[in-house]
Amino acid sequence: MMQGIWILPAPLLLVTGCSAERAEPVDKDAIAQAVKTAVQSIVDAFNARDADAALAVNAPDTRVMSHGQPNMGFEENLATVRQYVSDPAVHLQVADEEVDVADAGDMAVYTATYDWEFTDPETGDVANEQGNWVMVFRRQEDGSLKIYREVISDIPASGEGVS
């Protein structure tokens, strides 16, 4: 029986004997705040009726899932938002914001409730919709975080709903 001598295969020595450069620690709080700031810029631009600025945080490969409509890419979403902001009654607010940042800092999930006022196309009266808003931010090649996926889901008004 051989004692005291251990021979490790070369690949194992490389893995255990070398340490890769350590990445800087991820400041999840700073990333979460940056996401909230980005969302506030969306809300501000929407309320200022500037569709292009409202979508400046969207990635080119974004997918938006909204109100049972077919998924929209960037161009379809831009056309829809341009239509929304042409409404003189439009106003958007968010509340109950939460941001969950991935340990690597390369993705973040933003959730909030929203309150949206708009002109009802059927009645011409100002209407109100409340719902849930989920955005998945993903780090882009340039280092920025942009919206990769977005889900907008209204909550049925009182008296309506699922039985």
Side-chain angles (χ1 to χ4, degrees):
M1 180 157 116
M2 187 183 266
Q3 292 184 358
I5 299 177
W6 288 83
I7 300 174
L8 296 174
L12 186 54
L13 286 173
L14 290 174
V15 170
T16 60
C18 303
S19 64
E21 276 188 45
R22 297 194 182 229
E24 292 294 318
V26 173
D27 187 345
K28 293 169 85 170
D29 291 335
I31 293 170
Q33 186 56 49
V35 166
K36 287 181 180 180
T37 300
V39 172
Q40 188 59 52
S41 75
I42 294 167
V43 171
D44 291 345
F46 193 87
N47 290 334
R49 292 164 180 67
D50 186 342
D52 294 296
L55 268 61
V57 183
N58 287 61
D61 62 343
T62 191
R63 285 286 170 259
V64 179
M65 295 149 260
S66 177
H67 304 294
Q69 299 173 1
N71 292 353
M72 292 182 280
F74 185 87
E75 292 301 323
E76 297 93 352
N77 190 34
L78 180 58
T80 300
V81 172
R82 282 182 175 154
Q83 181 182 356
Y84 289 158
V85 299
S86 70
D87 178 353
V90 76
H91 185 76
L92 177 64
Q93 293 180 172
V94 294
D96 303 321
E97 296 175 292
E98 291 185 20
V99 181
D100 184 24
V101 178
D103 289 341
D106 59 340
M107 294 187 89
V109 176
Y110 169 93
T111 59
T113 58
Y114 69 85
D115 188 282
W116 176 38
E117 290 182 356
F118 59 97
T119 302
D120 184 321
E122 292 179 16
T123 66
D125 295 332
V126 174
N128 180 272
E129 176 183 293
Q130 295 176 338
N132 296 303
W133 199 2
V134 179
M135 290 179 251
V136 178
F137 285 74
R138 183 170 73 174
R139 185 134 343 256
Q140 304 297 296
E141 288 183 21
D142 67 0
S144 65
L145 280 172
K146 296 218 176 213
I147 299 169
Y148 171 64
R149 297 293 184 258
E150 184 174 5
V151 178
I152 303 164
S153 178
D154 56 315
I155 300 168
S158 297
E160 297 177 23
V162 181
S163 53

